[in-house]
Amino acid sequence: MNNMPAIIVLAPLLGAFFSGLAAWIQKPLSYYIALAATAVSSVAAVGVFKQVLTAGTWQYRMAGWAPPMGIELRIDLLNAMVLVLVSGIAFVNLVASVKNVDQEIPDRASSFYVMYQLFVVGLLGVTATGDLFNLYVLIEITSLTSYTMIALGDKDRSPLAALNYIFIGVIGASFYLLGVGYLYITTGSLNMADVAILLKDIQGSTAVLTAFILCILGVWIKMALFPLHVWLPNAYAYAPVGFARVVAPLMTKVMVYVMVRLMVTVFGLEYIFNTLNLADIVVWLGVIAILAGAFMALLQTDLKKMLTYIIVCEIGYMVGGAWLGNSLGMAGAILHILNDALMTFALFLAVGNIIYMRQQVAFSNLQGLFGAMPWTMAGFVLAGLSIIGVPPTCGFFSKWYLVLGAFEAGAYHFAAALIISSLVCAVLFFKVFEICFFEPMAESHGHHGTAAMAEAPVSMLAALGLVSAAIIGAGVYAGTIVNTVILPFLH
C-alpha cells in the first residue's frame, strides 16, 4: 500500500526484464507478462489517485533517501490523473494490439513488448518524478524506446522517420538539459519543490530567464509545437500500429503535462505572466499551430497522416490555452490533455482495426467501411465528433473552457482559431465518413459491389468500445473533473 507510487513505475520495468527472459523460453509469454505488468501499474495508479483525492499530495522517497540526494516521486492531483491515463491506455492498447503485432512483426514480437514496457516506464516516470534531472533521464528513456519502436515499422520509410526523430529529439533534450544546468547553477538543487522556493528570491536573474527559455523550448520541440513538428507526422504514421496507438495519444500529451508542471510548480505563474512578457507571443504561436495543423490535415490523402496533423493542431490548443493567463484557459488546457488522449486513442484504435482488415488506410481504400466494419466505424465516428467538438462528447467541454478563457483574456484570435479548426475538422471527418459510406465499385464498370461484413477481432472492438464509452463519460463528468481535480491543483 505504502509503495504504490513506486509500483506504478517498477511494474512495467520488471515486466520488460522478465518479458525479455521469457522470449528465450516461449515467445508468447512475453505478451502475457507485459499485459500483467501494465495491469498492475494501472491498478496501482488508480489506488494512488484515490489516495491523493482524499489525503492530498503524496511524497514518496525511493529507498527512503530524502531529496536532494534521493529520488522523490511527488504525486498531486494533476499527475495522479495523468498516471491513470497513461497506465490505462498502455494496458488497453496491449489488449487491442496483440493481433496487429502478430500480423506486422511476428518475428520481433518479443522485442516489441520489451521496448513497449520501457516506453511506458519512461512516460510514467516523467509524470511521477519530482526531480528535474530525473525528468530529463526519463524523457530520454521514452525517446530512445520511441526511436527503436518507430524503426520497427514500415521497412522502407520508418528508418528515415526514426532518424529524423532522433536528430530533432536530441536537440530538444539538449535544450532542456541546458536549462536544468542553469537552474542547478543558480539554485544548487534539482528537486522541483526546492527549486520553486529558491527561485522566488532570484526571479530577476538573467540565468533564471535563460533556464526558463531553454527548458520550455526543449519541451516544445519534444511535443512537436508548430513549426517544430516536422518529425511527428512521418514518425507516427510509419510506426507499427501497436506503437502508433500508444505514442500518438500519450507522447505529446505527457510533454504538455511537463510544460504545465514547469509553469505551475517550478517557475510559478506569477513569474511567467507578471515578470515575463511572453504570453501574447506564445498564444499567437498556439494560434499558428492550430491553423497550420488543421490546413495541413486537409491536404492529406491517407487517414493516418491526416490524424497526425490533427495532433499538431491539438497541441496548439493546449499550448495556447495554458498561456492565456487565466484559470479557465489553464483548466481547458489540462482538461484537453485528458480528452485529447482519449479521442486520439480511439481514432488510432479504429485505424488499427482497419489496417488489420485492409492493410492500408489511404482514402482510396476506405469505401464500404460502414457496411464491412460497422462497430469500428461507430467508434471512429464518435471520436471524430469529439475532435470536432460536438456535445456531449468530451472534446466539446475542453474547447468550451478554452474559448471562455480566450474571451476572458481578450484573446479573440485564439477563440477564432479554435472555431475555424473545428470547422476544418468537421470538413475532414465528414469527407472521410462520405468515402466510407459508399460501397466499393465492382470490377464490372457501372455496378456497385456489396461490402461483406468483415469486422476486426473482439479484443480490438472491446478496446474501442471501452474508450468510446470513456469519451462520453469524460464529457458527462467534465465539470466534476475540473472542480475536483484541475481547479484544486491550480489553487
Side-chain angles (χ1 to χ4, degrees):
M1 177 71 179
N2 291 332
N3 293 315
M4 278 201 296
I7 291 172
I8 297 172
V9 182
L10 291 178
L13 182 62
L14 293 172
F17 176 73
F18 287 110
S19 289
L21 287 181
W24 292 86
I25 303 168
Q26 195 173 12
K27 288 188 177 179
L29 278 177
S30 299
Y31 169 69
Y32 293 108
I33 292 172
L35 197 62
T38 50
V40 170
S41 182
S42 302
V43 171
V46 172
V48 169
F49 182 57
K50 290 169 67 177
Q51 180 73 12
V52 171
L53 272 177
T54 55
T57 300
W58 191 335
Q59 293 171 263
Y60 180 85
R61 295 171 177 175
M62 299 291 284
W65 288 75
M69 296 302 294
I71 298 172
E72 182 188 48
L73 303 181
R74 191 181 180 88
I75 317 291
D76 57 24
L77 286 168
L78 177 61
N79 53 357
M81 180 183 76
V82 178
L83 285 171
V84 173
L85 182 74
V86 172
S87 57
I89 287 180
F91 172 70
V92 174
N93 182 54
L94 267 182
V95 174
S97 297
V98 60
K99 291 189 179 297
N100 289 106
V101 174
D102 289 343
Q103 184 187 58
E104 285 184 311
I105 46 174
D107 54 330
R108 291 167 288 174
S110 298
S111 303
F112 175 89
Y113 294 124
V114 171
M115 299 310 293
Y116 183 94
Q117 290 176 89
L118 291 176
F119 174 75
V120 174
V121 168
L123 288 181
L124 292 170
V126 166
T127 308
T129 186
D131 184 280
L132 288 163
F133 182 73
N134 287 326
L135 179 66
Y136 161 76
V137 173
L138 291 157
I139 287 174
E140 283 307 280
I141 290 173
T142 306
S143 299
L144 289 170
T145 48
S146 297
Y147 307 147
T148 308
M149 300 279 275
I150 290 165
L152 287 174
D154 186 292
K155 289 183 179 177
D156 296 326
R157 289 170 289 191
S158 64
L160 183 58
L163 187 63
N164 289 334
Y165 189 8
I166 290 172
F167 287 146
I168 298 177
V170 168
I171 292 171
S174 301
F175 274 117
Y176 175 79
L177 186 59
L178 277 172
V180 171
Y182 272 92
L183 281 176
Y184 186 68
I185 290 169
T186 52
T187 65
S189 177
L190 293 170
N191 181 270
M192 291 183 190
D194 286 346
V195 170
I197 294 169
L198 295 168
L199 282 180
K200 288 180 180 174
D201 297 327
I202 52 173
Q203 287 190 339
S205 163
T206 306
V208 174
L209 175 63
T210 306
F212 176 75
I213 292 173
L214 288 171
C215 286
I216 289 293
L217 191 56
V219 173
W220 283 351
I221 292 173
K222 287 287 187 180
M223 77 169 69
L225 175 67
F226 182 89
L228 309 171
H229 72 289
V230 289
W231 59 269
L232 186 146
N234 285 344
Y236 289 7
Y238 300 137
V241 170
F243 184 61
R245 281 168 154 171
V246 74
V247 72
L250 291 183
M251 189 67 184
T252 53
K253 260 59 75 180
V254 169
M255 294 316 298
V256 173
Y257 156 78
V258 172
M259 181 191 74
V260 172
R261 175 65 65 193
L262 291 173
M263 292 173 71
V264 176
T265 302
V266 179
F267 290 95
L269 297 177
E270 185 178 339
Y271 172 68
I272 292 170
F273 293 114
N274 295 337
T275 304
L276 303 180
N277 192 23
L278 300 172
D280 289 342
I281 297 172
V282 179
V283 172
W284 269 109
L285 288 177
V287 169
I288 294 169
I290 292 168
L291 297 177
F295 286 109
M296 284 189 290
L298 272 176
L299 303 176
Q300 305 308 311
T301 56
D302 181 279
L303 186 55
K304 215 172 174 184
K305 269 289 187 70
M306 185 191 92
L307 296 180
T308 61
Y309 281 105
I310 289 177
I311 292 173
V312 174
C313 172
E314 300 282 325
I315 292 167
Y317 288 8
M318 292 175 273
V319 172
W323 283 77
L324 285 172
N326 54 50
S327 294
L328 284 169
M330 185 62 86
I334 294 173
L335 184 62
H336 208 65
I337 292 175
L338 170 69
N339 293 348
D340 190 52
L342 293 175
M343 297 184 296
T344 309
F345 186 37
L347 288 170
F348 273 82
L349 280 171
V351 166
N353 292 3
I354 298 168
I355 289 176
Y356 183 76
M357 300 306 299
R358 295 199 174 186
Q359 285 70 57
Q360 57 174 309
V361 285
F363 286 175
S364 58
N365 196 47
L366 300 181
Q367 285 188 327
L369 278 178
F370 275 104
M373 303 180 71
W375 295 107
T376 294
M377 287 310 298
F380 182 82
V381 169
L382 180 68
L385 293 177
S386 191
I387 288 279
I388 294 167
V390 176
T393 58
C394 59
F396 167 79
F397 294 96
S398 43
K399 284 189 179 182
W400 178 251
Y401 279 102
L402 290 170
V403 169
L404 290 179
F407 279 120
E408 185 175 296
Y412 302 110
H413 54 301
F414 185 68
L418 285 169
I419 294 168
I420 292 170
S421 71
S422 295
L423 294 174
V424 172
C425 285
V427 171
L428 283 169
F429 280 101
F430 278 95
K431 181 172 75 173
V432 175
F433 298 161
E434 183 184 22
I435 295 169
C436 297
F437 178 78
F438 288 105
E439 301 294 343
M441 293 292 289
E443 290 185 5
S444 54
H445 67 275
H447 299 280
H448 291 276
T450 302
M453 187 167 167
E455 257 296 0
V458 174
S459 59
M460 294 181 172
L461 294 178
L464 181 56
L466 183 65
V467 180
S468 300
I471 288 174
I472 297 292
V476 172
Y477 291 101
T480 304
I481 295 168
V482 170
N483 293 323
T484 308
V485 177
I486 298 174
L487 291 181
F489 163 74
L490 293 175
H491 295 153

